[in-house]
Amino acid sequence: MAEEVKLFKTWSSRFSLRVVWAFKIKGIDYESIDEDLSNKSDLLLHYNPVYKKVPVLVHNGNPISESTVILEYIDDTWKQNPLLPEDPVERARQRFWAKFNEENLLPTIWAIFTTEGKDLEEAMAAWVENLKFVEEELKGKKLFGGEKLGVADLVFGWLANLIGIFEEVSGLKIVDERYPLLLTWMQVFSELPVIKETWPPHDKMITKYQALYEKYHPAK
Amino acid sequence: MDMGDEVKVFGSWGSPFSRRVELALLLKGVPYEYIEEDIFVFENKSPLLLQYNPVHKKVPVLLHNGKPIAESLVILEYIEETWKANPILPEDPYDKAMARFWAKFLDDKCLPAIRKAAFSPENEREEAAEEVRDCLKTLESALNGKRFFGGDAIGMVDIAANFVGFWLRIIQEVTGEELLSVEKLPELFKWTEEFVSCSVVKKCLPPKDKVLDVVKARVAPK
């Protein structure tokens, strides 16, 4: 029986891209279904009734949502090129940092992108605090996964593409020379064969985020 | 079990998150040393806690042979991978993914909604309560006729849902908002009774009157 591996995603979703990378790393063939989030397909709503979001992986008819849950499922199901090491301490370390990205970095970057004045100042202060920890974590490591690419790298991956875009659109400096290890990681990560050339089209991203930025910062 | 194993839990008597860790260890018969932290006054947090969890400075922290692990759901996965007795996650990758999904749903959606319903000013409470009821309805669907989320025995989702099983009723009592009614959510209601009746869970719940006092102090008066 042919295996059914379907990925519901969008062209720009940083969360969907994590799953694309995981499939590439493990050499898994899949069918890609691109969604228009302003007009969600019935299938997407059927497969992800709780969140109604991408990415959704459907494996032999079984749907899984939430990108970090999907990444672990992929690692549990396809054993080649593991995304997490065997050692429980190391697994916990990567899971901890993946969570830190989701619960600390992502909300803060959103606040930086969408706010002004005092709110922006506060968001920047929080961001600086966050980055201090991230920089510390990279000490002595080539990647967040250690020597090898891991789940933590895939989860942090958005930084390597979106920081540049946000800086271009907003005129803000978001990751500066105070974070040399993070800057190096962003470079190294982008150059990896599985990651190279997987970013969404740059011009399309600038257009998208320019429009979004203007929505939150209307010309006075 | 390793004879040289040193297991410590930094927790707080009233924290559902640290109780989750203790519940998992109890379930698996893992002996541990418990260190009580005062989480109500930041300055009272121990230097060790701040050293072992510099990022969040919170409980729980599990210390295993000197290695600290923080974040309760991350700790639960670590416990499952380290001590194999009485598994709290299914073997099948899809069932495992579903368990992880629901544990995440509890923390990402249910918990913030319940916090809002409990601690918002009175005029915002009804809307927040409606959000809680929606979350709980969704959560109930994960039970699907089973006695526990984990099936016949409690698993990771049951452990993660401890604040629904115990703390929620206390919040209801104090706020007077009906959040989990037996009429509207019969399966989930039944689950809460099954959960708190488990002998191992009973060992792991804080005294109700103490929790009542803490909640009363935090809830905005009517």
Side-chain angles (χ1 to χ4, degrees):
Chain A
M1 189 197 85
E3 197 158 37
E4 178 202 39
V5 184
K6 289 190 162 118
L7 176 63
F8 289 78
K9 59 188 261 295
T10 66
W11 69 272
S12 64
S13 159
R14 71 198 81 156
F15 303 99
S16 304
L17 198 47
R18 295 168 177 176
V19 182
V20 169
W21 289 331
F23 282 148
K24 259 191 108 177
I25 289 166
K26 290 177 181 271
I28 299 163
D29 283 326
Y30 66 97
E31 183 193 335
S32 191
I33 295 140
D34 272 281
E35 287 283 326
D36 170 3
L37 295 182
S38 66
N39 186 20
K40 293 175 185 179
S41 72
D42 290 338
L43 266 185
L44 176 66
L45 300 177
H46 168 72
Y47 285 133
N48 190 1
V50 175
Y51 294 107
K52 306 174 175 57
K53 286 181 177 180
V54 294
V56 177
L57 167 63
V58 179
H59 185 210
N60 296 330
N62 291 326
I64 303 129
S65 318
E66 294 295 277
S67 62
T68 52
V69 176
I70 296 172
L71 291 179
E72 295 245 20
Y73 175 80
I74 289 173
D75 218 32
D76 289 338
T77 304
W78 290 278
K79 301 293 191 185
Q80 67 275 28
N81 299 334
L83 303 174
L84 280 173
E86 296 260 342
D87 174 32
V89 170
E90 270 302 296
R91 292 166 77 89
R93 185 186 67 79
Q94 290 204 46
R95 285 175 178 139
F96 175 90
W97 286 101
K99 224 167 177 280
F100 181 83
N101 180 78
E102 303 300 80
E103 294 172 10
N104 294 81
L105 286 191
L106 288 181
T108 310
I109 198 67
W110 184 246
I112 289 173
F113 194 76
T114 58
T115 63
E116 312 184 303
K118 190 156 187 298
D119 289 335
L120 175 59
E121 268 176 51
E122 276 174 26
M124 273 299 197
W127 180 252
V128 164
E129 278 306 301
N130 287 340
L131 285 199
K132 265 193 229 154
F133 289 124
V134 172
E135 185 75 5
E136 182 67 33
E137 181 57 21
L138 278 171
K139 280 197 182 139
K141 292 187 192 74
K142 185 171 160 229
L143 297 161
F144 284 104
E147 277 306 298
K148 279 170 56 188
L149 201 57
V151 158
D153 294 284
L154 301 190
V155 169
F156 277 106
W158 68 275
L159 282 158
N161 182 239
L162 273 166
I163 293 299
I165 290 169
F166 287 169
E167 286 182 342
E168 200 178 318
V169 162
S170 68
L172 297 167
K173 193 84 190 108
I174 302 175
V175 178
D176 60 42
E177 63 284 335
R178 285 176 288 178
Y179 313 103
L181 296 177
L182 182 57
L183 286 168
T184 303
W185 173 84
M186 283 159 66
Q187 188 89 347
V188 168
F189 182 80
S190 294
E191 290 298 306
L192 292 169
V194 285
I195 307 298
K196 232 172 138 94
E197 287 152 18
T198 59
W199 301 121
H202 183 83
D203 292 342
K204 241 181 131 178
M205 289 290 267
I206 292 291
T207 306
K208 175 192 163 93
Y209 283 101
Q210 187 73 53
L212 200 56
Y213 193 75
E214 279 160 20
K215 179 176 156 204
Y216 286 98
H217 305 270
K220 294 191 174 74
Chain B
M1 195 202 86
D2 235 81
M3 281 321 282
D5 250 357
E6 181 204 64
V7 184
K8 293 184 182 176
V9 176
F10 290 78
S12 169
W13 67 268
S15 158
F17 306 104
S18 70
R19 292 289 180 172
R20 286 171 173 176
V21 173
E22 293 195 84
L23 184 48
L25 292 171
L26 279 167
L27 258 169
K28 286 170 176 281
V30 178
Y32 63 95
E33 182 194 330
Y34 177 77
I35 295 127
E36 176 70 28
E37 289 282 336
D38 177 358
I39 61 170
F40 296 105
V41 180
F42 187 88
E43 293 73 25
N44 290 349
K45 288 183 179 178
S46 75
L48 273 182
L49 177 66
L50 301 179
Q51 178 196 329
Y52 290 134
N53 190 1
V55 174
H56 300 298
K57 306 173 178 60
K58 286 181 177 177
V59 297
V61 173
L62 176 76
L63 196 68
H64 184 207
N65 296 329
K67 299 230 168 95
I69 322 273
E71 291 296 284
S72 64
L73 294 186
V74 174
I75 298 172
L76 291 184
E77 295 256 13
Y78 177 84
I79 289 172
E80 174 72 349
E81 285 166 357
T82 305
W83 293 282
K84 306 292 188 184
N86 297 332
I88 58 174
L89 275 176
E91 279 225 34
D92 172 66
Y94 186 70
D95 294 335
K96 206 185 275 200
M98 287 302 98
R100 287 178 172 141
F101 175 88
W102 289 113
K104 203 169 183 287
F105 177 78
L106 277 157
D107 277 5
D108 288 352
K109 291 285 166 206
C110 295
L111 188 64
I114 290 170
R115 274 209 187 106
K116 246 172 80 180
F119 306 129
S120 294
E122 221 232 309
N123 60 335
E124 291 173 28
R125 254 186 243 157
E126 179 48 51
E127 193 188 320
E130 192 55 34
E131 214 186 302
V132 172
R133 288 189 282 266
D134 285 340
C135 274
L136 294 181
K137 185 115 197 100
T138 303
L139 181 67
E140 190 183 57
S141 72
L143 270 172
N144 207 19
K146 295 175 290 179
R147 187 172 163 214
F148 297 110
F149 291 100
D152 294 322
I154 66 172
M156 186 179 284
V157 181
D158 302 272
I159 297 171
N162 66 346
F163 64 90
V164 174
F166 179 78
W167 277 261
L168 186 60
R169 231 183 269 211
I170 297 172
I171 288 169
Q172 279 189 145
E173 203 178 301
V174 174
T175 60
E177 289 288 352
E178 183 204 70
L179 300 170
L180 174 45
S181 82
V182 63
E183 294 88 20
K184 298 200 188 117
L185 296 162
E187 252 196 276
L188 191 61
F189 189 88
K190 181 157 168 288
W191 172 83
T192 65
E193 310 213 296
E194 294 269 15
F195 181 75
V196 299
S197 310
C198 279
S199 55
V200 77
V201 172
K202 274 197 240 193
K203 288 189 200 145
C204 222
L205 292 175
K208 190 191 162 186
D209 51 353
K210 270 181 96 176
V211 177
L212 200 58
D213 287 342
V214 169
V215 174
K216 276 187 186 155
R218 280 192 70 182
V219 170
K222 272 196 190 300

